[in-house]
Amino acid sequence: MIRYQEEDLKNPGRILQRIVILQILFQVVLTLAFGALVVPYLADGATTASRKQQTKLSAMPTLDWLTIPFDWTLVRFDTFQGYMAAASYGITSLAMSVCVWKFVRRSKKCADFSFTIYCIHGALCWAYGKAFPNSAAFWVCLVTSFALTAVIAERLCMREELEDIPLASLISSAPSGSSGMDLAGSKSGKPRSGSHQEMVPIIIRQD
């Protein structure tokens, strides 16, 4: 497996590229989850509370259907559709944990990328509703989803980082012209000239 390159963490362009990709994936997965779990119950005549004019969702155009995940008023713990909206965030957090793992591959950076994703979504919800989200249910759902994404992605990255690195990859990553000298010095048990480090002989047993 190709390991995550450490220098990518120092490249602002690549960091921004990963944030954009992860944000798009987050919105796509959340929209699909809302479409499967929330929209069927809203189409029966429910309305979005964030709109000044209580327009029925059954008469909304396709573009408005796609913006439903930005309506933070749908996340509630006193209605069935509110629970379905919270479940949509839960499903999205599980899917995004895998996406963060695949794109970041560094356990120490999973929380940073996850926090950025959910902060951007919260800002988009604020802009869509034209009012700061003052729903406790929405913030509880958002923070919980962020925690799930960060923790699961971090665990997946840690499991990958703890895997044994093959000896062949270490030899191939050694500087050119130095691997042969190091190996020869290791077999003889003598340190290289100019080196003050003690060389430990390597015994290779062939069965």
Side-chain angles (χ1 to χ4, degrees):
M1 179 180 294
I2 299 177
R3 295 283 177 174
Y4 177 83
Q5 299 297 327
E6 185 72 21
E7 54 268 17
D8 286 354
L9 298 176
K10 302 178 182 179
N11 190 324
R14 293 185 179 181
I15 293 177
L16 180 60
Q17 181 183 24
R18 282 177 170 82
I19 291 175
V20 171
I21 294 175
L22 289 172
Q23 192 66 43
I24 293 175
L25 289 174
F26 174 84
Q27 300 302 154
V28 170
V29 175
L30 185 62
T31 300
L32 293 177
F34 264 76
L37 300 179
V38 180
V39 170
Y41 302 98
L42 294 178
D44 294 333
T47 57
T48 53
S50 64
R51 293 179 176 275
K52 295 181 180 180
Q53 298 179 352
Q54 298 292 316
T55 305
K56 288 188 176 182
L57 292 175
S58 56
M60 292 168 60
T62 304
L63 182 60
D64 287 342
W65 283 92
L66 297 177
T67 59
I68 289 179
F70 299 112
D71 190 354
W72 51 269
T73 61
L74 295 177
V75 183
R76 304 173 61 180
F77 294 144
D78 57 351
T79 62
F80 181 75
Q81 72 177 30
Y83 279 109
M84 290 295 99
S88 299
Y89 276 94
I91 294 175
T92 303
S93 67
L94 297 178
M96 288 308 301
S97 64
V98 178
C99 294
V100 172
W101 166 49
K102 289 294 184 180
F103 281 92
V104 178
R105 293 192 177 278
R106 292 292 293 177
S107 58
K108 295 181 179 180
K109 295 297 180 180
C110 290
D112 295 339
F113 278 88
S114 301
F115 182 76
T116 302
I117 292 171
Y118 286 93
C119 277
I120 293 176
H121 178 70
L124 292 175
C125 292
W126 184 357
Y128 173 79
K130 297 180 180 180
F132 182 78
N134 57 2
S135 171
F138 171 76
W139 288 112
V140 169
C141 183
L142 200 67
V143 172
T144 304
S145 299
F146 153 70
L148 285 174
T149 301
V151 170
I152 296 177
E154 183 177 351
R155 293 296 181 182
L156 293 174
C157 290
M158 289 179 62
R159 187 182 65 176
E160 185 179 29
E161 291 171 357
L162 292 176
E163 291 179 355
D164 294 335
I165 302 176
L167 181 60
S169 63
L170 293 177
I171 297 177
S172 61
S173 62
S176 177
S178 62
S179 58
M181 297 177 61
D182 294 341
L183 187 58
S186 300
K187 289 182 178 179
S188 61
K190 299 179 180 180
R192 295 179 298 172
S193 58
S195 175
H196 298 284
Q197 298 179 352
E198 182 181 357
M199 303 299 294
V200 179
I202 299 177
I203 302 176
I204 302 176
R205 184 177 63 183
Q206 296 181 352
D207 297 330

